[in-house]
Amino acid sequence: MYLGCFQSNGALHRMDYADFAAIASDIGYVTLDVPVLNDAAVKVVRSLDMALHATGSLTPPDLSTESDQQAALTRQVMDAIDWASGHGIRVITHLLGKDMSLSGDDNIAVFKELYTPIAAHAESRNVRLAFENWPRNGTMLATTPEMWHAMFSAVPSPALGLCYDPSHFVWQGIDWIQPIRDFADRIYHVHAKDTEILLDGRNAFGIYGRQLSGAGQSQWWRYRLPGYGEVNWFHFLDELFQSGYDQALSVEHEDRVWAATQETAVRGLRLSHQFLKPFIA
């Protein structure tokens, strides 16, 4: 396994990409998740002799039964596949929203209709789509093992897989180890991010968070740097390795404690690298 990162919070996004990439390289990161369809970013990464394993998140329009929205989704994903293939990038991380007017079963039916030809095209271009398990307040498709089973049964192409992020499972109350075993052959990219459980908030608000206006704490969990939350990283990385995953581990720095300024955001990247590096052989 090898360590990467990307511009995953506002302070990092405000940095010039070349400056960000140079700092990441100096810290010791050896790969960056490059922005989709950004030729200049690819050029920067190659100039630093860093690896190009995956892109940042591709987020097309949500699933829909509307023909115009379906056409826009298909066009964006197909264009990203062609672009990634042209640059030798094997994995596109992917966020896909549901049609909230449809049932889960009907969303899977739309997914099958749209992604059967998309997956065939990805296979032909030697590119894989890795769906991240970010829930977006319950509006995303690929958020649980239940939905993964349904998606990969509907479209069994090996071009479709996962961008596995344990932090989202922590606050959903889902075991973040067993799915590694169950979906070992579908894990194409991994995000390194942690989640801290704030017990006072959970005990006061429950899992739906604060219901009334008020000052002070409003959540019962928050994203943290690796090692600052609930994930046992020794166990997590050991399971990944046993599953056969030996590719990029990409730090997704969304820890607000370490993101107030560009300086603190970069310190967060340094802390993440220092924490994870001893686990990476």
Side-chain angles (χ1 to χ4, degrees), residues 8-12 14 196 222-229 251-272 274:
S8 49
N9 61 53
L12 295 177
R14 288 190 291 273
E196 178 185 11
R222 59 180 178 174
Y223 293 131
R224 299 303 311 269
L225 301 176
Y228 286 62
V251 170
E252 185 177 18
H253 174 7
E254 293 185 339
D255 188 334
R256 286 177 289 178
V257 175
W258 296 96
T261 66
Q262 290 181 7
E263 180 184 14
T264 54
V266 169
R267 288 176 67 188
L269 289 180
R270 291 187 186 279
L271 288 167
S272 298
Q274 289 171 3

PDB file of all heavy atoms in Angstrom, residues 8-12 14 196 222-229 251-272 274:
ATOM      1  N   SER A   8      -9.216  18.053   0.019  1.00  0.00           N
ATOM      2  CA  SER A   8     -10.479  17.548   0.555  1.00  0.00           C
ATOM      3  C   SER A   8     -11.154  18.480   1.549  1.00  0.00           C
ATOM      4  O   SER A   8     -12.122  18.078   2.193  1.00  0.00           O
ATOM      5  CB  SER A   8     -10.239  16.186   1.214  1.00  0.00           C
ATOM      6  OG  SER A   8      -9.136  16.242   2.098  1.00  0.00           O
ATOM      7  N   ASN A   9     -10.683  19.696   1.713  1.00  0.00           N
ATOM      8  CA  ASN A   9     -11.415  20.665   2.529  1.00  0.00           C
ATOM      9  C   ASN A   9     -11.210  22.059   1.947  1.00  0.00           C
ATOM     10  O   ASN A   9     -10.393  22.268   1.045  1.00  0.00           O
ATOM     11  CB  ASN A   9     -11.003  20.605   4.009  1.00  0.00           C
ATOM     12  CG  ASN A   9      -9.536  20.930   4.232  1.00  0.00           C
ATOM     13  OD1 ASN A   9      -9.050  21.970   3.791  1.00  0.00           O
ATOM     14  ND2 ASN A   9      -8.826  20.043   4.918  1.00  0.00           N
ATOM     15  N   GLY A  10     -11.974  23.021   2.449  1.00  0.00           N
ATOM     16  CA  GLY A  10     -11.962  24.353   1.863  1.00  0.00           C
ATOM     17  C   GLY A  10     -10.613  25.025   1.879  1.00  0.00           C
ATOM     18  O   GLY A  10     -10.211  25.674   0.900  1.00  0.00           O
ATOM     19  N   ALA A  11      -9.887  24.883   2.979  1.00  0.00           N
ATOM     20  CA  ALA A  11      -8.576  25.526   3.075  1.00  0.00           C
ATOM     21  C   ALA A  11      -7.603  24.953   2.052  1.00  0.00           C
ATOM     22  O   ALA A  11      -6.825  25.691   1.438  1.00  0.00           O
ATOM     23  CB  ALA A  11      -8.020  25.368   4.487  1.00  0.00           C
ATOM     24  N   LEU A  12      -7.638  23.645   1.854  1.00  0.00           N
ATOM     25  CA  LEU A  12      -6.768  23.032   0.853  1.00  0.00           C
ATOM     26  C   LEU A  12      -7.197  23.413  -0.554  1.00  0.00           C
ATOM     27  O   LEU A  12      -6.357  23.626  -1.442  1.00  0.00           O
ATOM     28  CB  LEU A  12      -6.760  21.509   1.013  1.00  0.00           C
ATOM     29  CG  LEU A  12      -6.162  20.971   2.313  1.00  0.00           C
ATOM     30  CD1 LEU A  12      -6.301  19.447   2.365  1.00  0.00           C
ATOM     31  CD2 LEU A  12      -4.691  21.355   2.450  1.00  0.00           C
ATOM     32  N   ARG A  14      -8.389  26.165  -1.508  1.00  0.00           N
ATOM     33  CA  ARG A  14      -8.006  27.537  -1.814  1.00  0.00           C
ATOM     34  C   ARG A  14      -6.545  27.662  -2.218  1.00  0.00           C
ATOM     35  O   ARG A  14      -6.112  28.725  -2.682  1.00  0.00           O
ATOM     36  CB  ARG A  14      -8.309  28.443  -0.619  1.00  0.00           C
ATOM     37  CG  ARG A  14      -9.810  28.683  -0.415  1.00  0.00           C
ATOM     38  CD  ARG A  14     -10.076  29.766   0.601  1.00  0.00           C
ATOM     39  NE  ARG A  14      -9.726  29.365   1.952  1.00  0.00           N
ATOM     40  CZ  ARG A  14     -10.526  28.723   2.786  1.00  0.00           C
ATOM     41  NH1 ARG A  14     -11.751  28.377   2.376  1.00  0.00           N
ATOM     42  NH2 ARG A  14     -10.146  28.405   4.000  1.00  0.00           N
ATOM     43  N   GLU A 196     -15.134  10.604  14.968  1.00  0.00           N
ATOM     44  CA  GLU A 196     -15.194  10.664  16.430  1.00  0.00           C
ATOM     45  C   GLU A 196     -16.663  10.703  16.859  1.00  0.00           C
ATOM     46  O   GLU A 196     -17.451  11.489  16.316  1.00  0.00           O
ATOM     47  CB  GLU A 196     -14.481  11.923  16.930  1.00  0.00           C
ATOM     48  CG  GLU A 196     -14.529  12.107  18.436  1.00  0.00           C
ATOM     49  CD  GLU A 196     -13.913  13.433  18.878  1.00  0.00           C
ATOM     50  OE1 GLU A 196     -13.637  14.299  18.020  1.00  0.00           O
ATOM     51  OE2 GLU A 196     -13.727  13.597  20.099  1.00  0.00           O
ATOM     52  N   ARG A 222     -18.298  13.631  14.387  1.00  0.00           N
ATOM     53  CA  ARG A 222     -17.611  14.521  13.455  1.00  0.00           C
ATOM     54  C   ARG A 222     -16.449  13.761  12.813  1.00  0.00           C
ATOM     55  O   ARG A 222     -15.860  12.865  13.411  1.00  0.00           O
ATOM     56  CB  ARG A 222     -17.081  15.772  14.170  1.00  0.00           C
ATOM     57  CG  ARG A 222     -16.097  15.518  15.309  1.00  0.00           C
ATOM     58  CD  ARG A 222     -15.645  16.828  15.934  1.00  0.00           C
ATOM     59  NE  ARG A 222     -14.738  16.595  17.058  1.00  0.00           N
ATOM     60  CZ  ARG A 222     -14.107  17.565  17.721  1.00  0.00           C
ATOM     61  NH1 ARG A 222     -14.298  18.830  17.385  1.00  0.00           N
ATOM     62  NH2 ARG A 222     -13.293  17.275  18.728  1.00  0.00           N
ATOM     63  N   TYR A 223     -16.123  14.130  11.564  1.00  0.00           N
ATOM     64  CA  TYR A 223     -14.998  13.526  10.872  1.00  0.00           C
ATOM     65  C   TYR A 223     -13.686  14.015  11.481  1.00  0.00           C
ATOM     66  O   TYR A 223     -13.556  15.193  11.848  1.00  0.00           O
ATOM     67  CB  TYR A 223     -15.026  13.883   9.385  1.00  0.00           C
ATOM     68  CG  TYR A 223     -16.181  13.274   8.627  1.00  0.00           C
ATOM     69  CD1 TYR A 223     -16.980  14.057   7.790  1.00  0.00           C
ATOM     70  CD2 TYR A 223     -16.477  11.921   8.737  1.00  0.00           C
ATOM     71  CE1 TYR A 223     -18.033  13.503   7.086  1.00  0.00           C
ATOM     72  CE2 TYR A 223     -17.534  11.364   8.038  1.00  0.00           C
ATOM     73  CZ  TYR A 223     -18.308  12.158   7.217  1.00  0.00           C
ATOM     74  OH  TYR A 223     -19.361  11.606   6.513  1.00  0.00           O
ATOM     75  N   ARG A 224     -12.717  13.097  11.580  1.00  0.00           N
ATOM     76  CA  ARG A 224     -11.420  13.429  12.151  1.00  0.00           C
ATOM     77  C   ARG A 224     -10.282  12.884  11.284  1.00  0.00           C
ATOM     78  O   ARG A 224     -10.487  12.051  10.393  1.00  0.00           O
ATOM     79  CB  ARG A 224     -11.275  12.847  13.568  1.00  0.00           C
ATOM     80  CG  ARG A 224     -12.268  13.330  14.599  1.00  0.00           C
ATOM     81  CD  ARG A 224     -12.291  14.841  14.800  1.00  0.00           C
ATOM     82  NE  ARG A 224     -10.996  15.449  15.001  1.00  0.00           N
ATOM     83  CZ  ARG A 224     -10.415  15.636  16.203  1.00  0.00           C
ATOM     84  NH1 ARG A 224     -11.045  15.222  17.295  1.00  0.00           N
ATOM     85  NH2 ARG A 224      -9.246  16.218  16.303  1.00  0.00           N
ATOM     86  N   LEU A 225      -9.075  13.326  11.567  1.00  0.00           N
ATOM     87  CA  LEU A 225      -7.894  12.748  10.950  1.00  0.00           C
ATOM     88  C   LEU A 225      -7.780  11.273  11.349  1.00  0.00           C
ATOM     89  O   LEU A 225      -8.267  10.878  12.412  1.00  0.00           O
ATOM     90  CB  LEU A 225      -6.631  13.480  11.406  1.00  0.00           C
ATOM     91  CG  LEU A 225      -6.510  14.980  11.142  1.00  0.00           C
ATOM     92  CD1 LEU A 225      -5.209  15.499  11.767  1.00  0.00           C
ATOM     93  CD2 LEU A 225      -6.565  15.293   9.665  1.00  0.00           C
ATOM     94  N   PRO A 226      -7.137  10.467  10.518  1.00  0.00           N
ATOM     95  CA  PRO A 226      -6.907   9.069  10.916  1.00  0.00           C
ATOM     96  C   PRO A 226      -6.208   8.983  12.271  1.00  0.00           C
ATOM     97  O   PRO A 226      -5.227   9.694  12.526  1.00  0.00           O
ATOM     98  CB  PRO A 226      -5.997   8.533   9.796  1.00  0.00           C
ATOM     99  CG  PRO A 226      -6.313   9.393   8.620  1.00  0.00           C
ATOM    100  CD  PRO A 226      -6.593  10.762   9.174  1.00  0.00           C
ATOM    101  N   GLY A 227      -6.752   8.143  13.151  1.00  0.00           N
ATOM    102  CA  GLY A 227      -6.184   7.982  14.480  1.00  0.00           C
ATOM    103  C   GLY A 227      -6.828   8.827  15.549  1.00  0.00           C
ATOM    104  O   GLY A 227      -6.568   8.629  16.738  1.00  0.00           O
ATOM    105  N   TYR A 228      -7.709   9.764  15.151  1.00  0.00           N
ATOM    106  CA  TYR A 228      -8.345  10.666  16.112  1.00  0.00           C
ATOM    107  C   TYR A 228      -9.790  10.260  16.411  1.00  0.00           C
ATOM    108  O   TYR A 228     -10.516  10.996  17.072  1.00  0.00           O
ATOM    109  CB  TYR A 228      -8.324  12.109  15.591  1.00  0.00           C
ATOM    110  CG  TYR A 228      -6.970  12.778  15.649  1.00  0.00           C
ATOM    111  CD1 TYR A 228      -5.886  12.278  14.936  1.00  0.00           C
ATOM    112  CD2 TYR A 228      -6.771  13.928  16.408  1.00  0.00           C
ATOM    113  CE1 TYR A 228      -4.641  12.890  14.975  1.00  0.00           C
ATOM    114  CE2 TYR A 228      -5.536  14.556  16.454  1.00  0.00           C
ATOM    115  CZ  TYR A 228      -4.474  14.025  15.734  1.00  0.00           C
ATOM    116  OH  TYR A 228      -3.239  14.635  15.763  1.00  0.00           O
ATOM    117  N   GLY A 229     -10.202   9.105  15.893  1.00  0.00           N
ATOM    118  CA  GLY A 229     -11.580   8.681  16.076  1.00  0.00           C
ATOM    119  C   GLY A 229     -11.699   7.229  16.495  1.00  0.00           C
ATOM    120  O   GLY A 229     -10.884   6.728  17.277  1.00  0.00           O
ATOM    121  N   VAL A 251      -5.664   9.928   1.979  1.00  0.00           N
ATOM    122  CA  VAL A 251      -6.153  10.713   3.114  1.00  0.00           C
ATOM    123  C   VAL A 251      -7.196  11.721   2.633  1.00  0.00           C
ATOM    124  O   VAL A 251      -6.933  12.538   1.739  1.00  0.00           O
ATOM    125  CB  VAL A 251      -5.002  11.438   3.815  1.00  0.00           C
ATOM    126  CG1 VAL A 251      -5.532  12.447   4.836  1.00  0.00           C
ATOM    127  CG2 VAL A 251      -4.071  10.436   4.488  1.00  0.00           C
ATOM    128  N   GLU A 252      -8.387  11.646   3.225  1.00  0.00           N
ATOM    129  CA  GLU A 252      -9.438  12.629   2.976  1.00  0.00           C
ATOM    130  C   GLU A 252      -9.568  13.476   4.238  1.00  0.00           C
ATOM    131  O   GLU A 252     -10.247  13.104   5.191  1.00  0.00           O
ATOM    132  CB  GLU A 252     -10.763  11.946   2.639  1.00  0.00           C
ATOM    133  CG  GLU A 252     -11.845  12.935   2.249  1.00  0.00           C
ATOM    134  CD  GLU A 252     -13.138  12.272   1.832  1.00  0.00           C
ATOM    135  OE1 GLU A 252     -13.334  11.081   2.151  1.00  0.00           O
ATOM    136  OE2 GLU A 252     -13.957  12.946   1.185  1.00  0.00           O
ATOM    137  N   HIS A 253      -8.901  14.609   4.232  1.00  0.00           N
ATOM    138  CA  HIS A 253      -8.812  15.460   5.408  1.00  0.00           C
ATOM    139  C   HIS A 253     -10.037  16.367   5.487  1.00  0.00           C
ATOM    140  O   HIS A 253     -10.124  17.386   4.806  1.00  0.00           O
ATOM    141  CB  HIS A 253      -7.516  16.280   5.319  1.00  0.00           C
ATOM    142  CG  HIS A 253      -7.341  17.319   6.381  1.00  0.00           C
ATOM    143  ND1 HIS A 253      -8.180  17.458   7.470  1.00  0.00           N
ATOM    144  CD2 HIS A 253      -6.391  18.281   6.528  1.00  0.00           C
ATOM    145  CE1 HIS A 253      -7.768  18.459   8.214  1.00  0.00           C
ATOM    146  NE2 HIS A 253      -6.693  18.980   7.667  1.00  0.00           N
ATOM    147  N   GLU A 254     -10.998  15.969   6.324  1.00  0.00           N
ATOM    148  CA  GLU A 254     -12.198  16.775   6.562  1.00  0.00           C
ATOM    149  C   GLU A 254     -12.353  17.077   8.052  1.00  0.00           C
ATOM    150  O   GLU A 254     -13.472  17.251   8.553  1.00  0.00           O
ATOM    151  CB  GLU A 254     -13.437  16.054   6.020  1.00  0.00           C
ATOM    152  CG  GLU A 254     -13.448  15.929   4.508  1.00  0.00           C
ATOM    153  CD  GLU A 254     -14.736  15.329   3.974  1.00  0.00           C
ATOM    154  OE1 GLU A 254     -15.448  14.663   4.744  1.00  0.00           O
ATOM    155  OE2 GLU A 254     -15.015  15.527   2.780  1.00  0.00           O
ATOM    156  N   ASP A 255     -11.225  17.144   8.745  1.00  0.00           N
ATOM    157  CA  ASP A 255     -11.210  17.395  10.181  1.00  0.00           C
ATOM    158  C   ASP A 255     -11.186  18.902  10.413  1.00  0.00           C
ATOM    159  O   ASP A 255     -10.164  19.559  10.183  1.00  0.00           O
ATOM    160  CB  ASP A 255      -9.976  16.724  10.796  1.00  0.00           C
ATOM    161  CG  ASP A 255      -9.973  16.765  12.314  1.00  0.00           C
ATOM    162  OD1 ASP A 255     -10.587  17.680  12.888  1.00  0.00           O
ATOM    163  OD2 ASP A 255      -9.336  15.886  12.920  1.00  0.00           O
ATOM    164  N   ARG A 256     -12.306  19.456  10.893  1.00  0.00           N
ATOM    165  CA  ARG A 256     -12.405  20.905  11.058  1.00  0.00           C
ATOM    166  C   ARG A 256     -11.466  21.442  12.128  1.00  0.00           C
ATOM    167  O   ARG A 256     -11.132  22.629  12.131  1.00  0.00           O
ATOM    168  CB  ARG A 256     -13.843  21.290  11.372  1.00  0.00           C
ATOM    169  CG  ARG A 256     -14.768  21.209  10.155  1.00  0.00           C
ATOM    170  CD  ARG A 256     -16.196  21.518  10.506  1.00  0.00           C
ATOM    171  NE  ARG A 256     -16.802  20.459  11.298  1.00  0.00           N
ATOM    172  CZ  ARG A 256     -18.032  20.500  11.776  1.00  0.00           C
ATOM    173  NH1 ARG A 256     -18.796  21.564  11.574  1.00  0.00           N
ATOM    174  NH2 ARG A 256     -18.513  19.492  12.485  1.00  0.00           N
ATOM    175  N   VAL A 257     -11.036  20.580  13.045  1.00  0.00           N
ATOM    176  CA  VAL A 257     -10.068  21.012  14.053  1.00  0.00           C
ATOM    177  C   VAL A 257      -8.757  21.427  13.380  1.00  0.00           C
ATOM    178  O   VAL A 257      -8.079  22.350  13.831  1.00  0.00           O
ATOM    179  CB  VAL A 257      -9.817  19.880  15.068  1.00  0.00           C
ATOM    180  CG1 VAL A 257      -8.729  20.273  16.057  1.00  0.00           C
ATOM    181  CG2 VAL A 257     -11.112  19.508  15.797  1.00  0.00           C
ATOM    182  N   TRP A 258      -8.429  20.763  12.278  1.00  0.00           N
ATOM    183  CA  TRP A 258      -7.168  20.995  11.576  1.00  0.00           C
ATOM    184  C   TRP A 258      -7.400  21.571  10.187  1.00  0.00           C
ATOM    185  O   TRP A 258      -6.678  21.233   9.235  1.00  0.00           O
ATOM    186  CB  TRP A 258      -6.368  19.690  11.478  1.00  0.00           C
ATOM    187  CG  TRP A 258      -5.960  19.168  12.815  1.00  0.00           C
ATOM    188  CD1 TRP A 258      -6.582  18.233  13.579  1.00  0.00           C
ATOM    189  CD2 TRP A 258      -4.814  19.594  13.555  1.00  0.00           C
ATOM    190  NE1 TRP A 258      -5.915  18.038  14.753  1.00  0.00           N
ATOM    191  CE2 TRP A 258      -4.820  18.862  14.774  1.00  0.00           C
ATOM    192  CE3 TRP A 258      -3.778  20.506  13.323  1.00  0.00           C
ATOM    193  CZ2 TRP A 258      -3.827  19.019  15.743  1.00  0.00           C
ATOM    194  CZ3 TRP A 258      -2.801  20.672  14.281  1.00  0.00           C
ATOM    195  CH2 TRP A 258      -2.829  19.936  15.478  1.00  0.00           C
ATOM    196  N   ALA A 259      -8.372  22.459  10.048  1.00  0.00           N
ATOM    197  CA  ALA A 259      -8.670  22.988   8.718  1.00  0.00           C
ATOM    198  C   ALA A 259      -9.077  24.464   8.707  1.00  0.00           C
ATOM    199  O   ALA A 259      -9.614  24.938   7.723  1.00  0.00           O
ATOM    200  CB  ALA A 259      -9.767  22.156   8.063  1.00  0.00           C
ATOM    201  N   ALA A 260      -8.809  25.179   9.792  1.00  0.00           N
ATOM    202  CA  ALA A 260      -9.242  26.573   9.856  1.00  0.00           C
ATOM    203  C   ALA A 260      -8.495  27.452   8.865  1.00  0.00           C
ATOM    204  O   ALA A 260      -9.056  28.394   8.303  1.00  0.00           O
ATOM    205  CB  ALA A 260      -9.065  27.106  11.273  1.00  0.00           C
ATOM    206  N   THR A 261      -7.238  27.167   8.636  1.00  0.00           N
ATOM    207  CA  THR A 261      -6.397  27.933   7.717  1.00  0.00           C
ATOM    208  C   THR A 261      -5.615  26.965   6.843  1.00  0.00           C
ATOM    209  O   THR A 261      -5.571  25.756   7.100  1.00  0.00           O
ATOM    210  CB  THR A 261      -5.396  28.812   8.484  1.00  0.00           C
ATOM    211  OG1 THR A 261      -4.456  27.966   9.180  1.00  0.00           O
ATOM    212  CG2 THR A 261      -6.106  29.723   9.487  1.00  0.00           C
ATOM    213  N   GLN A 262      -4.975  27.500   5.817  1.00  0.00           N
ATOM    214  CA  GLN A 262      -4.141  26.653   4.973  1.00  0.00           C
ATOM    215  C   GLN A 262      -3.010  26.027   5.785  1.00  0.00           C
ATOM    216  O   GLN A 262      -2.668  24.858   5.592  1.00  0.00           O
ATOM    217  CB  GLN A 262      -3.577  27.468   3.807  1.00  0.00           C
ATOM    218  CG  GLN A 262      -4.636  27.853   2.785  1.00  0.00           C
ATOM    219  CD  GLN A 262      -4.067  28.642   1.616  1.00  0.00           C
ATOM    220  OE1 GLN A 262      -2.867  28.803   1.478  1.00  0.00           O
ATOM    221  NE2 GLN A 262      -4.961  29.145   0.770  1.00  0.00           N
ATOM    222  N   GLU A 263      -2.451  26.792   6.704  1.00  0.00           N
ATOM    223  CA  GLU A 263      -1.350  26.278   7.521  1.00  0.00           C
ATOM    224  C   GLU A 263      -1.805  25.097   8.375  1.00  0.00           C
ATOM    225  O   GLU A 263      -1.126  24.066   8.420  1.00  0.00           O
ATOM    226  CB  GLU A 263      -0.796  27.371   8.419  1.00  0.00           C
ATOM    227  CG  GLU A 263       0.352  26.882   9.299  1.00  0.00           C
ATOM    228  CD  GLU A 263       0.839  27.954  10.267  1.00  0.00           C
ATOM    229  OE1 GLU A 263       0.132  28.965  10.447  1.00  0.00           O
ATOM    230  OE2 GLU A 263       1.935  27.783  10.822  1.00  0.00           O
ATOM    231  N   THR A 264      -2.940  25.250   9.050  1.00  0.00           N
ATOM    232  CA  THR A 264      -3.405  24.145   9.896  1.00  0.00           C
ATOM    233  C   THR A 264      -3.868  22.956   9.052  1.00  0.00           C
ATOM    234  O   THR A 264      -3.713  21.802   9.464  1.00  0.00           O
ATOM    235  CB  THR A 264      -4.537  24.592  10.836  1.00  0.00           C
ATOM    236  OG1 THR A 264      -5.585  25.182  10.063  1.00  0.00           O
ATOM    237  CG2 THR A 264      -4.029  25.582  11.864  1.00  0.00           C
ATOM    238  N   ALA A 265      -4.435  23.223   7.865  1.00  0.00           N
ATOM    239  CA  ALA A 265      -4.856  22.129   6.983  1.00  0.00           C
ATOM    240  C   ALA A 265      -3.656  21.305   6.531  1.00  0.00           C
ATOM    241  O   ALA A 265      -3.707  20.071   6.490  1.00  0.00           O
ATOM    242  CB  ALA A 265      -5.613  22.674   5.777  1.00  0.00           C
ATOM    243  N   VAL A 266      -2.558  21.986   6.205  1.00  0.00           N
ATOM    244  CA  VAL A 266      -1.336  21.273   5.815  1.00  0.00           C
ATOM    245  C   VAL A 266      -0.776  20.506   7.009  1.00  0.00           C
ATOM    246  O   VAL A 266      -0.300  19.371   6.867  1.00  0.00           O
ATOM    247  CB  VAL A 266      -0.298  22.264   5.248  1.00  0.00           C
ATOM    248  CG1 VAL A 266       1.062  21.581   5.091  1.00  0.00           C
ATOM    249  CG2 VAL A 266      -0.773  22.799   3.899  1.00  0.00           C
ATOM    250  N   ARG A 267      -0.865  21.090   8.201  1.00  0.00           N
ATOM    251  CA  ARG A 267      -0.428  20.355   9.398  1.00  0.00           C
ATOM    252  C   ARG A 267      -1.263  19.089   9.585  1.00  0.00           C
ATOM    253  O   ARG A 267      -0.741  18.047   9.998  1.00  0.00           O
ATOM    254  CB  ARG A 267      -0.540  21.252  10.636  1.00  0.00           C
ATOM    255  CG  ARG A 267       0.513  22.353  10.697  1.00  0.00           C
ATOM    256  CD  ARG A 267       0.286  23.261  11.884  1.00  0.00           C
ATOM    257  NE  ARG A 267       0.499  22.561  13.159  1.00  0.00           N
ATOM    258  CZ  ARG A 267       0.207  23.098  14.347  1.00  0.00           C
ATOM    259  NH1 ARG A 267      -0.314  24.324  14.407  1.00  0.00           N
ATOM    260  NH2 ARG A 267       0.430  22.424  15.453  1.00  0.00           N
ATOM    261  N   GLY A 268      -2.548  19.169   9.253  1.00  0.00           N
ATOM    262  CA  GLY A 268      -3.388  17.983   9.318  1.00  0.00           C
ATOM    263  C   GLY A 268      -2.922  16.895   8.366  1.00  0.00           C
ATOM    264  O   GLY A 268      -2.925  15.704   8.714  1.00  0.00           O
ATOM    265  N   LEU A 269      -2.507  17.292   7.171  1.00  0.00           N
ATOM    266  CA  LEU A 269      -1.957  16.312   6.227  1.00  0.00           C
ATOM    267  C   LEU A 269      -0.668  15.705   6.766  1.00  0.00           C
ATOM    268  O   LEU A 269      -0.424  14.502   6.600  1.00  0.00           O
ATOM    269  CB  LEU A 269      -1.688  16.973   4.868  1.00  0.00           C
ATOM    270  CG  LEU A 269      -2.903  17.350   4.024  1.00  0.00           C
ATOM    271  CD1 LEU A 269      -2.443  17.985   2.720  1.00  0.00           C
ATOM    272  CD2 LEU A 269      -3.787  16.134   3.735  1.00  0.00           C
ATOM    273  N   ARG A 270       0.157  16.539   7.413  1.00  0.00           N
ATOM    274  CA  ARG A 270       1.401  16.016   7.997  1.00  0.00           C
ATOM    275  C   ARG A 270       1.100  15.016   9.119  1.00  0.00           C
ATOM    276  O   ARG A 270       1.719  13.943   9.201  1.00  0.00           O
ATOM    277  CB  ARG A 270       2.256  17.162   8.541  1.00  0.00           C
ATOM    278  CG  ARG A 270       2.855  18.057   7.482  1.00  0.00           C
ATOM    279  CD  ARG A 270       3.832  19.061   8.095  1.00  0.00           C
ATOM    280  NE  ARG A 270       4.305  20.005   7.107  1.00  0.00           N
ATOM    281  CZ  ARG A 270       5.283  19.759   6.239  1.00  0.00           C
ATOM    282  NH1 ARG A 270       5.905  18.585   6.276  1.00  0.00           N
ATOM    283  NH2 ARG A 270       5.651  20.673   5.369  1.00  0.00           N
ATOM    284  N   LEU A 271       0.169  15.374   9.982  1.00  0.00           N
ATOM    285  CA  LEU A 271      -0.177  14.484  11.088  1.00  0.00           C
ATOM    286  C   LEU A 271      -0.736  13.158  10.563  1.00  0.00           C
ATOM    287  O   LEU A 271      -0.434  12.087  11.090  1.00  0.00           O
ATOM    288  CB  LEU A 271      -1.195  15.155  11.998  1.00  0.00           C
ATOM    289  CG  LEU A 271      -0.669  16.299  12.872  1.00  0.00           C
ATOM    290  CD1 LEU A 271      -1.823  17.075  13.485  1.00  0.00           C
ATOM    291  CD2 LEU A 271       0.251  15.765  13.964  1.00  0.00           C
ATOM    292  N   SER A 272      -1.557  13.234   9.535  1.00  0.00           N
ATOM    293  CA  SER A 272      -2.126  12.014   8.952  1.00  0.00           C
ATOM    294  C   SER A 272      -1.034  11.125   8.380  1.00  0.00           C
ATOM    295  O   SER A 272      -1.039   9.895   8.571  1.00  0.00           O
ATOM    296  CB  SER A 272      -3.134  12.376   7.855  1.00  0.00           C
ATOM    297  OG  SER A 272      -4.209  13.122   8.379  1.00  0.00           O
ATOM    298  N   GLN A 274       2.163  11.106   9.219  1.00  0.00           N
ATOM    299  CA  GLN A 274       2.985  10.585  10.314  1.00  0.00           C
ATOM    300  C   GLN A 274       2.296   9.417  11.014  1.00  0.00           C
ATOM    301  O   GLN A 274       2.943   8.450  11.419  1.00  0.00           O
ATOM    302  CB  GLN A 274       3.272  11.702  11.324  1.00  0.00           C
ATOM    303  CG  GLN A 274       4.234  12.758  10.822  1.00  0.00           C
ATOM    304  CD  GLN A 274       4.324  13.965  11.752  1.00  0.00           C
ATOM    305  OE1 GLN A 274       3.698  13.986  12.818  1.00  0.00           O
ATOM    306  NE2 GLN A 274       5.081  14.961  11.361  1.00  0.00           N
TER     307      GLN A 274
END
